[in-house]
Amino acid sequence: MTVRTRQQRRGQLLQVHVHPDDLGKVIGRGGRTATAFRTVVSALADDNVRIDFVDVDER
């Protein structure tokens, strides 16, 4: 898993690149893990932060 940061007009974007085999584990059942991750990051951030989970096939 790698995380890349980009600054955009409406705030910061965190792109979390995950192997397709691990994407289900990162997102969690019903998206609970991803939602919890977004909640914690937004609580710690000073400004608007958006998080995108991206599946990357690293072959």
Side-chain angles (χ1 to χ4, degrees), residues 9-38:
R9 263 186 287 168
R10 296 185 341 181
Q12 203 168 24
L13 170 66
L14 298 178
Q15 289 182 326
V16 181
H17 295 265
V18 181
H19 192 275
D21 294 341
D22 298 328
L23 191 60
K25 296 174 189 171
V26 171
I27 293 175
R29 183 176 296 219
R32 289 185 208 154
T33 306
T35 302
F37 185 72
R38 287 182 174 113

Side-chain angles (χ1 to χ4, degrees), residues 37-47 49:
F37 185 72
R38 287 182 174 113
T39 301
V40 169
V41 169
S42 65
L44 294 173
D46 291 336
D47 58 350
V49 176

